[in-house]
Amino acid sequence: MTDALKRLSEEGVAIWLDDLSRKRITSGNLAELIDQQHVVGVTTNPSIFQKAISSGDGYEQQLSDLAARKVTVEEAIRMITTADVRDAADILRPVYDSTQGQDGRVSIEVDPRLAHNTRATVAEAKQLAWLVDRPNTLIKIPATRAGLPAITETIGRGISVNVTLIFSLERYREVMDAYLAGLEKAKAAGIDLAGIHSVASFFVSRVDTEIDKRLDALGTPEAKAARGKAGLANARLAYEAYEEVFSSDRWAALDKAQANKQRPLWASTGVKDKAYKDTLYVDDLVAPNTVNTMPEATLVAAEDHGRITGNTIAGTYEQSRAELDAVEKLGISYDDVVQLLEDEGVEKFEASWNDLLKSTEAELERLAPSEG
């Protein structure tokens, strides 16, 4: 066992777990990961909850109580998921306190079916913040076109946000702009900016998966040489954009008002292609003031054989631009890839949510008390 996770933390990378379940909470596993594996946050999404609740482990009693109350399936899911997030937030509270609110965070996503409805997304964000009622919660809002004004409005109300499903550099810049606009709105309303936090979840492995598929279809030596480079290049250029925005005059004015930088969060860091090292998106995305949210398999791999050699983003921008240009020159459209990934991301979360609705409805019907 190495000290790779400790070194990663010392380099300024916050290690978050990309998973949550009731069993993980009640068994003491989450507390153990915090204590021994340097985990300082948790992210969830509709797919994670669908998997956890469908497993049935630890949810029977609450489902039985909800069935007795004859609640709707939507209400049942919200009661179950917010209970898990609340309990996880309580476990992480000491981390939140010791890091002045930067870490110790648990993320919960708005209903993915609202991804293209600004007003409903804001209403859902307010409702989730109220339901969980923990200061160390982040409300996840997808970075769709409709999500951008929802981010500004939610931040403007003093609610901390995890912006998710970011694939393109242009959209990432729009997300940072939406965050700064939200802070300016909150400042104008007299809200203490020091209490507002945000991360921007920039997805990595899915970019390689889609671009590699297109490179494989080309089958040329040039295409083969370009495999497995776009995901890292894209993320590294996102960090360049982060450095630029958070050293601007606009940021300086907010910084004086005690605002917090919106940290880049590397999401989708589980390696999908067995040809690549399983710690690729950990080892090669090390830079200060970032978050890496890992599925447990990636966390275990990083702990066991991760190679943390200092900042692996600094000095890579020129090479990263060249690597993305090489893909474009082969006839693969970056704009087409990132738009497809955003659309698919929303669709996948919506499909997981619908599966969760169906499986929960079936459980409520099974556990419903007989009349009389």
Side-chain angles (χ1 to χ4, degrees):
M1 210 60 83
T2 69
D3 280 332
L5 297 179
K6 181 173 183 284
R7 288 204 301 276
L8 190 63
S9 299
E10 288 168 352
E11 289 292 338
V13 180
I15 299 166
W16 291 8
L17 178 71
D18 193 25
D19 190 51
L20 187 64
S21 67
R22 190 152 299 177
K23 185 178 181 183
R24 199 180 280 286
I25 292 165
T26 57
S27 67
N29 172 262
L30 178 57
E32 190 177 284
L33 290 173
I34 296 163
D35 186 49
Q36 297 177 17
Q37 270 80 26
H38 305 276
V39 168
V40 293
V42 168
T43 50
T44 69
N45 62 45
S47 300
I48 285 169
F49 277 129
Q50 193 271 331
K51 183 182 170 189
I53 297 169
S54 298
S55 76
D57 211 342
Y59 296 98
E60 184 95 359
Q61 184 59 58
Q62 189 177 10
L63 279 163
S64 181
D65 290 345
L66 292 165
R69 289 174 50 214
K70 298 182 179 177
V71 303
T72 65
V73 64
E74 280 91 355
E75 186 183 349
I77 288 169
R78 275 307 179 212
M79 292 299 104
I80 292 166
T81 57
T82 54
D84 279 359
V85 169
R86 194 178 304 115
D87 288 345
D90 288 343
I91 293 167
L92 278 154
R93 184 60 189 263
V95 177
Y96 169 82
D97 291 337
S98 67
T99 61
Q100 288 76 53
Q102 179 160 267
D103 287 309
R105 296 274 175 177
V106 186
S107 297
I108 183 168
E109 189 148 347
V110 296
D111 186 331
R113 296 171 299 180
L114 307 177
H116 302 297
N117 185 326
T118 302
R119 189 176 171 191
T121 294
V122 174
E124 173 95 342
K126 287 161 60 183
Q127 172 75 354
L128 283 173
W130 177 83
L131 267 176
V132 176
D133 193 27
R134 294 295 184 272
N136 50 330
T137 310
L138 289 171
I139 308 301
K140 286 179 89 172
I141 296 176
T144 55
R145 179 61 52 203
L148 295 170
I151 294 158
T152 296
E153 183 66 24
T154 305
I155 291 290
R157 291 172 178 270
I159 297 170
S160 295
V161 172
N162 175 344
V163 184
T164 188
L165 291 176
I166 308 170
F167 297 94
S168 84
L169 295 166
E170 181 185 0
R171 183 54 55 85
Y172 177 46
R173 285 183 179 276
E174 291 173 337
V175 165
M176 289 188 284
D177 182 70
Y179 175 62
L180 296 185
L183 289 176
E184 288 158 353
K185 197 167 185 174
K187 184 182 174 187
I191 296 170
D192 180 11
L193 301 191
I196 303 172
H197 287 260
S198 184
V199 293
S201 297
F202 199 88
F203 280 55
V204 188
S205 70
R206 291 191 198 179
V207 174
D208 273 335
T209 301
E210 181 59 32
I211 288 180
D212 283 358
K213 184 172 75 176
R214 298 184 187 203
L215 290 169
D216 290 344
L218 291 174
T220 63
E222 293 84 0
K224 191 174 181 182
R227 288 185 95 258
K229 294 177 180 175
L232 284 176
N234 199 37
R236 285 166 167 174
L237 291 174
Y239 192 79
E240 180 188 37
Y242 157 79
E243 288 184 309
E244 186 184 306
V245 169
F246 288 98
S247 60
S248 66
D249 291 343
R250 185 184 182 191
W251 168 250
L254 291 163
D255 189 36
K256 279 182 188 168
Q258 307 302 309
N260 299 290
K261 291 179 180 177
Q262 182 187 55
R263 287 182 294 172
L265 177 151
W266 311 127
S268 181
T269 57
V271 173
K272 310 288 194 292
D273 192 325
K274 287 186 168 57
Y276 308 144
K277 60 180 178 177
D278 54 3
T279 59
L280 177 67
Y281 305 125
V282 178
D283 299 352
D284 292 5
L285 286 174
V286 178
N289 215 33
T290 58
V291 179
N292 194 311
T293 184
M294 310 177 203
E296 188 169 23
T298 304
L299 182 75
V300 169
E303 181 183 39
D304 182 63
H305 51 265
R307 288 179 56 81
I308 308 305
T309 57
N311 189 326
T312 47
I313 292 182
T316 64
Y317 301 147
E318 198 175 318
Q319 180 192 349
S320 297
R321 264 187 282 280
E323 285 167 349
L324 288 186
D325 286 347
V327 170
E328 197 83 35
K329 282 172 186 168
L330 289 167
I332 295 169
S333 166
Y334 174 86
D335 290 342
D336 180 67
V337 167
V338 293
Q339 188 58 57
L340 173 74
L341 290 171
E342 180 186 304
D343 294 342
E344 282 185 350
V346 173
E347 285 165 12
K348 283 175 182 173
F349 281 170
E350 194 170 323
S352 294
W353 196 256
N354 287 330
D355 287 345
L356 180 55
L357 285 168
K358 286 176 196 163
S359 59
T360 303
E361 188 169 39
E363 281 298 286
L364 291 171
E365 286 172 2
R366 181 179 72 82
L367 295 166
S370 54
E371 298 296 330

